Short mmCIF file of all heavy atoms in Angstrom, two decimals:
data_model
loop_
_atom_site.label_atom_id
_atom_site.label_comp_id
_atom_site.label_asym_id
_atom_site.label_seq_id
_atom_site.Cartn_x
_atom_site.Cartn_y
_atom_site.Cartn_z
N ARG A 1 -6.76 5.07 8.43
CA ARG A 1 -7.10 3.66 8.17
C ARG A 1 -7.67 3.48 6.78
O ARG A 1 -7.39 2.49 6.09
CB ARG A 1 -8.10 3.17 9.22
CG ARG A 1 -7.53 3.03 10.62
CD ARG A 1 -8.41 2.17 11.50
NE ARG A 1 -9.76 2.71 11.57
CZ ARG A 1 -10.18 3.53 12.52
NH1 ARG A 1 -9.35 3.92 13.47
NH2 ARG A 1 -11.42 3.97 12.54
N HIS A 2 -8.51 4.44 6.34
CA HIS A 2 -9.08 4.36 5.01
C HIS A 2 -7.99 4.46 3.94
O HIS A 2 -8.02 3.73 2.94
CB HIS A 2 -10.10 5.49 4.83
CG HIS A 2 -10.83 5.44 3.52
ND1 HIS A 2 -11.46 4.31 3.03
CD2 HIS A 2 -11.03 6.40 2.57
CE1 HIS A 2 -12.02 4.56 1.86
NE2 HIS A 2 -11.75 5.84 1.55
N LEU A 3 -7.01 5.34 4.15
CA LEU A 3 -5.90 5.45 3.20
C LEU A 3 -5.05 4.19 3.20
O LEU A 3 -4.54 3.77 2.14
CB LEU A 3 -5.05 6.67 3.56
CG LEU A 3 -3.88 6.98 2.60
CD1 LEU A 3 -4.41 7.31 1.21
CD2 LEU A 3 -3.04 8.13 3.13
N ASP A 4 -4.89 3.55 4.34
CA ASP A 4 -4.13 2.30 4.40
C ASP A 4 -4.84 1.20 3.63
O ASP A 4 -4.19 0.39 2.93
CB ASP A 4 -3.92 1.89 5.86
CG ASP A 4 -3.12 0.62 5.99
OD1 ASP A 4 -1.91 0.64 5.70
OD2 ASP A 4 -3.70 -0.42 6.36
N HIS A 5 -6.17 1.14 3.72
CA HIS A 5 -6.92 0.15 2.95
C HIS A 5 -6.79 0.41 1.45
O HIS A 5 -6.65 -0.54 0.64
CB HIS A 5 -8.39 0.16 3.37
CG HIS A 5 -8.60 -0.27 4.78
ND1 HIS A 5 -9.76 -0.01 5.48
CD2 HIS A 5 -7.79 -0.94 5.65
CE1 HIS A 5 -9.67 -0.51 6.70
NE2 HIS A 5 -8.48 -1.07 6.83
N GLN A 6 -6.84 1.68 1.06
CA GLN A 6 -6.65 2.01 -0.36
C GLN A 6 -5.23 1.67 -0.82
O GLN A 6 -5.03 1.25 -1.97
CB GLN A 6 -6.94 3.50 -0.58
CG GLN A 6 -8.39 3.88 -0.39
CD GLN A 6 -8.61 5.37 -0.47
OE1 GLN A 6 -7.68 6.16 -0.30
NE2 GLN A 6 -9.85 5.78 -0.73
N HIS A 7 -4.27 1.82 0.06
CA HIS A 7 -2.89 1.46 -0.28
C HIS A 7 -2.76 -0.04 -0.52
O HIS A 7 -2.11 -0.49 -1.46
CB HIS A 7 -1.95 1.91 0.84
CG HIS A 7 -0.51 1.75 0.52
ND1 HIS A 7 0.49 2.05 1.42
CD2 HIS A 7 0.14 1.30 -0.60
CE1 HIS A 7 1.67 1.82 0.87
NE2 HIS A 7 1.48 1.35 -0.35
N ARG A 8 -3.40 -0.83 0.32
CA ARG A 8 -3.33 -2.28 0.17
C ARG A 8 -4.05 -2.76 -1.08
O ARG A 8 -3.62 -3.73 -1.73
CB ARG A 8 -3.90 -2.96 1.41
CG ARG A 8 -3.09 -2.70 2.67
CD ARG A 8 -3.71 -3.32 3.90
NE ARG A 8 -2.96 -2.98 5.10
CZ ARG A 8 -1.91 -3.66 5.55
NH1 ARG A 8 -1.50 -4.74 4.89
NH2 ARG A 8 -1.29 -3.28 6.64
N ARG A 9 -5.13 -2.09 -1.43
CA ARG A 9 -5.85 -2.49 -2.65
C ARG A 9 -5.12 -2.02 -3.91
O ARG A 9 -5.11 -2.73 -4.93
CB ARG A 9 -7.27 -1.93 -2.63
CG ARG A 9 -8.17 -2.57 -1.60
CD ARG A 9 -9.63 -2.22 -1.87
NE ARG A 9 -9.84 -0.78 -1.89
CZ ARG A 9 -10.22 -0.08 -0.83
NH1 ARG A 9 -10.41 -0.68 0.34
NH2 ARG A 9 -10.40 1.22 -0.91
N GLY A 10 -4.52 -0.84 -3.86
CA GLY A 10 -3.89 -0.28 -5.05
C GLY A 10 -2.50 -0.79 -5.32
O GLY A 10 -2.04 -0.76 -6.47
N SER A 11 -1.78 -1.24 -4.29
CA SER A 11 -0.41 -1.72 -4.47
C SER A 11 -0.15 -2.82 -3.47
O SER A 11 0.43 -2.60 -2.39
CB SER A 11 0.58 -0.56 -4.29
OG SER A 11 1.90 -1.00 -4.46
N SER A 12 -0.55 -4.04 -3.82
CA SER A 12 -0.36 -5.18 -2.93
C SER A 12 1.09 -5.63 -2.85
O SER A 12 1.47 -6.30 -1.88
CB SER A 12 -1.23 -6.35 -3.39
OG SER A 12 -0.91 -6.71 -4.74
N GLN A 13 1.94 -5.28 -3.85
CA GLN A 13 3.34 -5.70 -3.82
C GLN A 13 4.16 -4.95 -2.78
O GLN A 13 5.33 -5.28 -2.55
CB GLN A 13 3.98 -5.52 -5.20
CG GLN A 13 4.05 -4.09 -5.70
CD GLN A 13 2.82 -3.72 -6.50
OE1 GLN A 13 1.76 -4.32 -6.33
NE2 GLN A 13 2.96 -2.72 -7.38
N CYS A 14 3.57 -3.91 -2.16
CA CYS A 14 4.28 -3.18 -1.11
C CYS A 14 4.24 -3.89 0.24
O CYS A 14 4.89 -3.44 1.18
CB CYS A 14 3.70 -1.78 -0.95
SG CYS A 14 3.95 -0.70 -2.39
N PHE A 15 3.48 -4.98 0.36
CA PHE A 15 3.30 -5.67 1.64
C PHE A 15 3.74 -7.12 1.51
O PHE A 15 3.63 -7.74 0.43
CB PHE A 15 1.82 -5.61 2.07
CG PHE A 15 1.30 -4.20 2.23
CD1 PHE A 15 0.74 -3.54 1.15
CD2 PHE A 15 1.38 -3.55 3.44
CE1 PHE A 15 0.27 -2.25 1.28
CE2 PHE A 15 0.90 -2.26 3.58
CZ PHE A 15 0.35 -1.61 2.50
N ASP A 16 4.24 -7.67 2.61
CA ASP A 16 4.68 -9.06 2.63
C ASP A 16 3.51 -9.98 2.96
O ASP A 16 2.34 -9.55 3.03
CB ASP A 16 5.82 -9.24 3.62
CG ASP A 16 5.44 -8.78 5.02
OD1 ASP A 16 4.25 -8.48 5.25
OD2 ASP A 16 6.33 -8.71 5.90
N GLU A 17 3.81 -11.26 3.17
CA GLU A 17 2.75 -12.24 3.41
C GLU A 17 2.07 -12.04 4.75
O GLU A 17 0.94 -12.48 4.96
CB GLU A 17 3.32 -13.66 3.33
CG GLU A 17 4.41 -13.97 4.35
CD GLU A 17 5.78 -13.49 3.88
OE1 GLU A 17 5.85 -12.90 2.79
OE2 GLU A 17 6.75 -13.70 4.62
N LYS A 18 2.71 -11.34 5.68
CA LYS A 18 2.11 -11.07 6.98
C LYS A 18 1.37 -9.73 7.03
O LYS A 18 0.90 -9.34 8.09
CB LYS A 18 3.19 -11.09 8.06
CG LYS A 18 3.80 -12.46 8.27
CD LYS A 18 4.79 -12.44 9.43
CE LYS A 18 5.39 -13.81 9.67
NZ LYS A 18 6.35 -13.78 10.80
N GLY A 19 1.29 -9.03 5.91
CA GLY A 19 0.58 -7.77 5.86
C GLY A 19 1.40 -6.57 6.29
O GLY A 19 0.84 -5.48 6.46
N ARG A 20 2.70 -6.71 6.45
CA ARG A 20 3.56 -5.61 6.85
C ARG A 20 4.16 -4.94 5.62
O ARG A 20 4.48 -5.61 4.63
CB ARG A 20 4.69 -6.11 7.76
CG ARG A 20 4.19 -6.74 9.05
CD ARG A 20 5.32 -7.39 9.81
NE ARG A 20 5.94 -8.46 9.02
CZ ARG A 20 6.89 -9.28 9.48
NH1 ARG A 20 7.34 -9.11 10.73
NH2 ARG A 20 7.40 -10.21 8.71
N HIS A 21 4.31 -3.63 5.71
CA HIS A 21 4.90 -2.89 4.58
C HIS A 21 6.39 -3.19 4.49
O HIS A 21 7.11 -3.12 5.48
CB HIS A 21 4.68 -1.39 4.77
CG HIS A 21 4.87 -0.59 3.52
ND1 HIS A 21 6.12 -0.27 3.02
CD2 HIS A 21 3.99 -0.04 2.65
CE1 HIS A 21 6.01 0.43 1.91
NE2 HIS A 21 4.71 0.60 1.67
N ILE A 22 6.85 -3.50 3.30
CA ILE A 22 8.25 -3.84 3.10
C ILE A 22 9.10 -2.59 3.21
O ILE A 22 8.64 -1.47 2.94
CB ILE A 22 8.46 -4.53 1.74
CG1 ILE A 22 8.01 -3.60 0.61
CG2 ILE A 22 7.72 -5.86 1.68
CD1 ILE A 22 8.26 -4.17 -0.78
N GLN A 23 10.35 -2.78 3.62
CA GLN A 23 11.25 -1.65 3.75
C GLN A 23 11.83 -1.27 2.39
O GLN A 23 11.97 -2.10 1.51
CB GLN A 23 12.38 -2.00 4.72
CG GLN A 23 11.91 -2.25 6.15
CD GLN A 23 13.06 -2.54 7.09
OE1 GLN A 23 14.21 -2.60 6.66
NE2 GLN A 23 12.75 -2.73 8.36
N GLY A 24 12.15 0.00 2.28
CA GLY A 24 12.76 0.48 1.04
C GLY A 24 11.77 1.19 0.14
O GLY A 24 10.93 1.96 0.60
N TYR A 25 11.82 0.89 -1.13
CA TYR A 25 11.05 1.61 -2.14
C TYR A 25 9.57 1.24 -2.05
O TYR A 25 9.22 0.07 -1.89
CB TYR A 25 11.59 1.28 -3.53
CG TYR A 25 10.90 2.03 -4.65
CD1 TYR A 25 11.20 3.36 -4.90
CD2 TYR A 25 9.95 1.40 -5.44
CE1 TYR A 25 10.58 4.04 -5.93
CE2 TYR A 25 9.32 2.07 -6.47
CZ TYR A 25 9.64 3.40 -6.71
OH TYR A 25 9.02 4.07 -7.73
N CYS A 26 8.70 2.25 -2.16
CA CYS A 26 7.25 2.04 -2.19
C CYS A 26 6.77 2.14 -3.63
O CYS A 26 7.06 3.10 -4.33
CB CYS A 26 6.54 3.08 -1.31
SG CYS A 26 4.75 2.86 -1.23
N HIS A 27 6.05 1.11 -4.07
CA HIS A 27 5.59 1.03 -5.46
C HIS A 27 4.27 1.76 -5.70
O HIS A 27 3.81 1.79 -6.85
CB HIS A 27 5.45 -0.44 -5.88
CG HIS A 27 6.71 -1.23 -5.74
ND1 HIS A 27 7.71 -1.24 -6.69
CD2 HIS A 27 7.16 -2.04 -4.73
CE1 HIS A 27 8.70 -2.02 -6.31
NE2 HIS A 27 8.39 -2.52 -5.11
N TRP A 28 3.67 2.32 -4.66
CA TRP A 28 2.34 2.94 -4.80
C TRP A 28 2.53 4.40 -5.23
O TRP A 28 2.46 5.32 -4.41
CB TRP A 28 1.57 2.84 -3.50
CG TRP A 28 0.10 3.12 -3.67
CD1 TRP A 28 -0.70 2.77 -4.71
CD2 TRP A 28 -0.75 3.82 -2.75
NE1 TRP A 28 -1.99 3.19 -4.51
CE2 TRP A 28 -2.05 3.85 -3.31
CE3 TRP A 28 -0.54 4.41 -1.52
CZ2 TRP A 28 -3.12 4.43 -2.67
CZ3 TRP A 28 -1.62 5.00 -0.88
CH2 TRP A 28 -2.89 5.01 -1.46
N LYS A 29 2.77 4.60 -6.50
CA LYS A 29 2.97 5.93 -7.05
C LYS A 29 1.76 6.42 -7.84
O LYS A 29 1.36 7.56 -7.73
CB LYS A 29 4.22 5.95 -7.94
CG LYS A 29 5.51 5.63 -7.19
CD LYS A 29 5.78 6.63 -6.08
CE LYS A 29 7.07 6.32 -5.36
NZ LYS A 29 7.32 7.25 -4.24
N ASN A 30 1.19 5.55 -8.65
CA ASN A 30 0.01 5.92 -9.45
C ASN A 30 -1.24 5.73 -8.59
O ASN A 30 -1.89 4.68 -8.64
CB ASN A 30 -0.05 5.08 -10.72
CG ASN A 30 1.14 5.32 -11.62
OD1 ASN A 30 1.66 6.43 -11.69
ND2 ASN A 30 1.60 4.28 -12.31
N ARG A 31 -1.56 6.73 -7.81
CA ARG A 31 -2.69 6.62 -6.89
C ARG A 31 -3.98 7.02 -7.60
O ARG A 31 -3.98 7.84 -8.52
CB ARG A 31 -2.47 7.51 -5.67
CG ARG A 31 -1.17 7.18 -4.95
CD ARG A 31 -1.04 7.91 -3.65
NE ARG A 31 0.22 7.57 -2.97
CZ ARG A 31 0.57 8.00 -1.77
NH1 ARG A 31 -0.25 8.82 -1.11
NH2 ARG A 31 1.71 7.64 -1.24
N SER A 32 -5.06 6.45 -7.12
CA SER A 32 -6.36 6.73 -7.70
C SER A 32 -6.85 8.10 -7.27
O SER A 32 -6.27 8.76 -6.38
CB SER A 32 -7.36 5.65 -7.28
OG SER A 32 -7.52 5.65 -5.87
N LYS A 33 -7.94 8.53 -7.88
CA LYS A 33 -8.52 9.82 -7.55
C LYS A 33 -9.05 9.84 -6.13
O LYS A 33 -8.90 10.83 -5.39
CB LYS A 33 -9.63 10.15 -8.54
CG LYS A 33 -10.25 11.52 -8.33
CD LYS A 33 -11.32 11.81 -9.36
CE LYS A 33 -11.97 13.17 -9.12
NZ LYS A 33 -13.03 13.43 -10.13
N LEU A 34 -9.66 8.73 -5.69
CA LEU A 34 -10.18 8.66 -4.33
C LEU A 34 -9.05 8.68 -3.30
O LEU A 34 -9.19 9.28 -2.23
CB LEU A 34 -11.03 7.40 -4.17
CG LEU A 34 -12.31 7.33 -5.01
CD1 LEU A 34 -13.02 6.01 -4.79
CD2 LEU A 34 -13.24 8.49 -4.67
#
């Protein structure tokens, strides 16, 4: 759950307006140290 929250904060374009992860390419490549 903590990693999912970091994913949503670090790459919001990966999710649609309902909070679901979009299918296909994931834009969260440059991840933070945490």
Side-chain angles (χ1 to χ4, degrees):
R1 290 197 303 266
H2 185 51
L3 183 63
D4 181 70
H5 295 162
Q6 292 174 339
H7 188 182
R8 295 177 184 274
R9 291 194 303 266
S11 180
S12 58
Q13 63 270 24
C14 294
F15 301 89
D16 57 8
E17 61 276 2
K18 294 184 179 180
R20 298 172 299 185
H21 197 283
I22 59 176
Q23 296 182 358
Y25 183 78
C26 182
H27 302 277
W28 195 38
K29 298 299 181 183
N30 297 326
R31 304 188 180 184
S32 62
K33 183 179 178 181
L34 295 178

